[in-house]
Amino acid sequence: MLPAAAVFHFPWEVNSGAVQEGESVRTFGRLVCYQPEESRATLSAQHASAQHQVLVHTLFVEPFDPIIGAQYIVLGEIENMEGVGVMVRARVLNCVDGVNLALLQKAINEQRSFFKERESKEADGPPT
């Protein structure tokens, strides 16, 4: 059986506890740091007046040719690493530099609305 499809989460949601350990996620951010000796990258995103960071374990996507300052989308599972905190174990890490972040965020919100509406219709049952 295949795992559930990864749901898009904003970077500020990943560390807030909104995502459970082991859950598949998709998120994005600007690559601000890469530590090859630890197989760890740090993505950063601005939300309101706060800067949010997501740690990414890159072991499964190496060799990895990082472009510091570029936008990336990551697909992986959430892990709680002792002494580090919440980290995404990357299965896919793609550079998407040039993506319009405002449109991406709008698309994520539209997708969430669609799924929420679809779930509520399914819960109401089929029309008679």
Side-chain angles (χ1 to χ4, degrees), residues 2 4 11-12 15 22 28 32 39 44 47 49 61 70 80 83-84 86 96 101 112 114-115 117 122 126 128:
L2 293 174
W12 47 92
N15 292 324
F28 60 89
V32 293
S39 295
S44 180
H47 177 64
S49 62
V61 294
N80 285 318
V84 176
V86 176
V96 292
L101 286 180
R112 288 178 176 182
F114 171 78
F115 287 140
E117 183 179 322
E122 288 175 356
T128 54

Short mmCIF file of all heavy atoms in Angstrom, two decimals, residues 2 4 11-12 15 22 28 32 39 44 47 49 61 70 80 83-84 86 96 101 112 114-115 117 122 126 128:
data_model
loop_
_atom_site.label_atom_id
_atom_site.label_comp_id
_atom_site.label_asym_id
_atom_site.label_seq_id
_atom_site.Cartn_x
_atom_site.Cartn_y
_atom_site.Cartn_z
N LEU A 2 0.51 2.22 -0.80
CA LEU A 2 1.28 3.45 -0.90
C LEU A 2 0.97 4.38 0.27
O LEU A 2 -0.15 4.38 0.80
CB LEU A 2 0.94 4.18 -2.20
CG LEU A 2 1.36 3.48 -3.48
CD1 LEU A 2 0.81 4.23 -4.69
CD2 LEU A 2 2.86 3.39 -3.56
N ALA A 4 0.08 7.94 2.13
CA ALA A 4 -0.83 9.02 1.75
C ALA A 4 -0.07 10.10 1.01
O ALA A 4 1.13 10.31 1.23
CB ALA A 4 -1.49 9.60 3.00
N PRO A 11 5.88 26.86 5.55
CA PRO A 11 7.03 26.67 6.45
C PRO A 11 6.72 27.02 7.90
O PRO A 11 7.21 26.36 8.81
CB PRO A 11 8.09 27.62 5.87
CG PRO A 11 7.74 27.72 4.42
CD PRO A 11 6.24 27.65 4.38
N TRP A 12 5.89 28.01 8.13
CA TRP A 12 5.55 28.41 9.50
C TRP A 12 4.63 27.40 10.18
O TRP A 12 4.49 27.42 11.39
CB TRP A 12 4.95 29.81 9.54
CG TRP A 12 3.89 30.07 8.53
CD1 TRP A 12 2.54 29.91 8.68
CD2 TRP A 12 4.08 30.54 7.19
NE1 TRP A 12 1.89 30.25 7.53
CE2 TRP A 12 2.80 30.64 6.59
CE3 TRP A 12 5.20 30.88 6.44
CZ2 TRP A 12 2.63 31.07 5.28
CZ3 TRP A 12 5.01 31.32 5.14
CH2 TRP A 12 3.74 31.41 4.58
N ASN A 15 6.95 23.83 11.91
CA ASN A 15 7.51 23.87 13.27
C ASN A 15 6.49 24.20 14.34
O ASN A 15 6.81 24.19 15.52
CB ASN A 15 8.66 24.88 13.35
CG ASN A 15 9.85 24.43 12.54
OD1 ASN A 15 10.15 23.24 12.48
ND2 ASN A 15 10.53 25.36 11.92
N GLY A 22 6.21 11.66 11.21
CA GLY A 22 5.94 10.59 10.26
C GLY A 22 5.02 11.01 9.13
O GLY A 22 4.91 10.30 8.13
N PHE A 28 8.16 24.68 1.21
CA PHE A 28 9.05 25.45 0.35
C PHE A 28 9.85 26.44 1.19
O PHE A 28 9.55 26.67 2.37
CB PHE A 28 8.25 26.21 -0.71
CG PHE A 28 7.26 27.17 -0.13
CD1 PHE A 28 7.61 28.48 0.14
CD2 PHE A 28 5.96 26.76 0.15
CE1 PHE A 28 6.69 29.36 0.69
CE2 PHE A 28 5.04 27.63 0.70
CZ PHE A 28 5.41 28.94 0.97
N VAL A 32 19.11 28.80 2.77
CA VAL A 32 20.00 29.75 3.43
C VAL A 32 21.27 29.09 3.97
O VAL A 32 22.24 29.78 4.24
CB VAL A 32 19.28 30.51 4.58
CG1 VAL A 32 18.18 31.41 4.01
CG2 VAL A 32 18.71 29.57 5.61
N SER A 39 24.55 16.39 6.26
CA SER A 39 23.41 16.17 5.35
C SER A 39 22.20 16.98 5.81
O SER A 39 21.10 16.47 5.95
CB SER A 39 23.05 14.69 5.26
OG SER A 39 24.09 13.96 4.67
N SER A 44 14.29 28.90 4.47
CA SER A 44 13.74 30.02 5.21
C SER A 44 12.63 30.68 4.41
O SER A 44 12.69 30.73 3.18
CB SER A 44 14.87 31.03 5.49
OG SER A 44 14.38 32.13 6.21
N HIS A 47 6.96 35.29 6.77
CA HIS A 47 5.50 35.31 6.94
C HIS A 47 5.18 36.42 7.92
O HIS A 47 5.65 36.38 9.07
CB HIS A 47 4.97 33.97 7.44
CG HIS A 47 3.50 33.96 7.69
ND1 HIS A 47 2.58 34.14 6.69
CD2 HIS A 47 2.79 33.79 8.83
CE1 HIS A 47 1.37 34.08 7.21
NE2 HIS A 47 1.47 33.87 8.51
N SER A 49 5.75 39.43 9.85
CA SER A 49 7.02 40.07 10.18
C SER A 49 8.05 39.07 10.70
O SER A 49 9.14 39.47 11.12
CB SER A 49 6.79 41.15 11.24
OG SER A 49 6.28 40.55 12.42
N VAL A 61 18.66 12.62 -0.89
CA VAL A 61 18.67 13.37 -2.16
C VAL A 61 20.09 13.77 -2.56
O VAL A 61 20.28 14.57 -3.47
CB VAL A 61 17.76 14.62 -2.08
CG1 VAL A 61 16.32 14.23 -1.94
CG2 VAL A 61 18.19 15.56 -0.97
N ALA A 70 18.49 30.35 -3.45
CA ALA A 70 17.46 29.94 -4.41
C ALA A 70 16.25 29.35 -3.66
O ALA A 70 16.37 28.88 -2.53
CB ALA A 70 18.01 28.90 -5.38
N ASN A 80 11.16 14.11 14.37
CA ASN A 80 11.63 14.88 15.53
C ASN A 80 13.01 14.35 15.87
O ASN A 80 13.15 13.25 16.38
CB ASN A 80 10.67 14.72 16.71
CG ASN A 80 9.41 15.52 16.52
OD1 ASN A 80 9.45 16.64 16.06
ND2 ASN A 80 8.28 14.93 16.88
N GLY A 83 17.74 16.96 20.00
CA GLY A 83 18.71 18.05 20.01
C GLY A 83 18.59 19.00 18.84
O GLY A 83 19.26 20.03 18.80
N VAL A 84 17.78 18.66 17.84
CA VAL A 84 17.62 19.49 16.65
C VAL A 84 16.21 20.04 16.55
O VAL A 84 16.00 21.20 16.22
CB VAL A 84 17.97 18.69 15.37
CG1 VAL A 84 17.73 19.51 14.13
CG2 VAL A 84 19.40 18.20 15.43
N VAL A 86 12.21 19.62 14.94
CA VAL A 86 11.46 19.12 13.79
C VAL A 86 12.31 19.27 12.53
O VAL A 86 12.90 20.32 12.28
CB VAL A 86 10.13 19.89 13.63
CG1 VAL A 86 9.40 19.44 12.38
CG2 VAL A 86 9.26 19.68 14.86
N VAL A 96 13.26 25.64 -7.40
CA VAL A 96 12.17 26.27 -8.16
C VAL A 96 12.39 27.79 -8.17
O VAL A 96 11.44 28.56 -8.05
CB VAL A 96 10.78 25.91 -7.58
CG1 VAL A 96 10.47 24.46 -7.80
CG2 VAL A 96 10.68 26.28 -6.11
N LEU A 101 5.98 33.34 -5.24
CA LEU A 101 5.56 32.81 -3.94
C LEU A 101 4.13 33.23 -3.59
O LEU A 101 3.41 32.46 -2.96
CB LEU A 101 6.52 33.24 -2.85
CG LEU A 101 7.86 32.53 -2.85
CD1 LEU A 101 8.73 33.04 -1.71
CD2 LEU A 101 7.69 31.04 -2.75
N ARG A 112 -6.58 23.82 -0.44
CA ARG A 112 -7.14 23.49 0.87
C ARG A 112 -8.65 23.74 0.90
O ARG A 112 -9.41 22.92 1.44
CB ARG A 112 -6.48 24.33 1.96
CG ARG A 112 -5.07 23.91 2.25
CD ARG A 112 -4.45 24.81 3.29
NE ARG A 112 -3.12 24.33 3.64
CZ ARG A 112 -2.36 24.90 4.54
NH1 ARG A 112 -2.76 25.97 5.20
NH2 ARG A 112 -1.16 24.40 4.80
N PHE A 114 -10.70 23.68 -1.63
CA PHE A 114 -11.32 22.66 -2.47
C PHE A 114 -11.47 21.35 -1.70
O PHE A 114 -12.55 20.75 -1.69
CB PHE A 114 -10.50 22.45 -3.74
CG PHE A 114 -10.96 21.26 -4.54
CD1 PHE A 114 -12.09 21.35 -5.35
CD2 PHE A 114 -10.27 20.06 -4.48
CE1 PHE A 114 -12.52 20.24 -6.08
CE2 PHE A 114 -10.70 18.96 -5.21
CZ PHE A 114 -11.82 19.06 -6.02
N PHE A 115 -10.38 20.90 -1.05
CA PHE A 115 -10.44 19.65 -0.31
C PHE A 115 -11.41 19.73 0.86
O PHE A 115 -12.13 18.77 1.15
CB PHE A 115 -9.05 19.22 0.17
CG PHE A 115 -8.15 18.71 -0.92
CD1 PHE A 115 -6.81 19.03 -0.93
CD2 PHE A 115 -8.64 17.90 -1.93
CE1 PHE A 115 -5.97 18.56 -1.93
CE2 PHE A 115 -7.82 17.42 -2.94
CZ PHE A 115 -6.48 17.75 -2.94
N GLU A 117 -14.09 21.63 1.07
CA GLU A 117 -15.44 21.61 0.50
C GLU A 117 -15.82 20.20 0.05
O GLU A 117 -16.93 19.74 0.28
CB GLU A 117 -15.52 22.57 -0.69
CG GLU A 117 -16.89 22.69 -1.31
CD GLU A 117 -16.91 23.67 -2.46
OE1 GLU A 117 -16.23 24.71 -2.36
OE2 GLU A 117 -17.60 23.39 -3.46
N GLU A 122 -18.84 15.06 0.97
CA GLU A 122 -18.81 13.62 1.18
C GLU A 122 -19.42 13.24 2.53
O GLU A 122 -20.08 12.23 2.67
CB GLU A 122 -17.38 13.09 1.08
CG GLU A 122 -16.84 13.09 -0.32
CD GLU A 122 -15.38 12.68 -0.39
OE1 GLU A 122 -14.75 12.45 0.68
OE2 GLU A 122 -14.85 12.60 -1.51
N PRO A 126 -24.46 11.21 -0.30
CA PRO A 126 -24.93 11.43 -1.67
C PRO A 126 -26.35 11.97 -1.68
O PRO A 126 -27.15 11.66 -0.80
CB PRO A 126 -24.84 10.03 -2.33
CG PRO A 126 -24.91 9.09 -1.16
CD PRO A 126 -24.31 9.80 0.01
N THR A 128 -30.21 12.35 -2.59
CA THR A 128 -31.23 11.32 -2.84
C THR A 128 -32.24 11.76 -3.86
O THR A 128 -32.42 12.85 -4.18
CB THR A 128 -32.00 10.99 -1.54
OG1 THR A 128 -32.52 12.19 -1.00
CG2 THR A 128 -31.09 10.30 -0.57
#
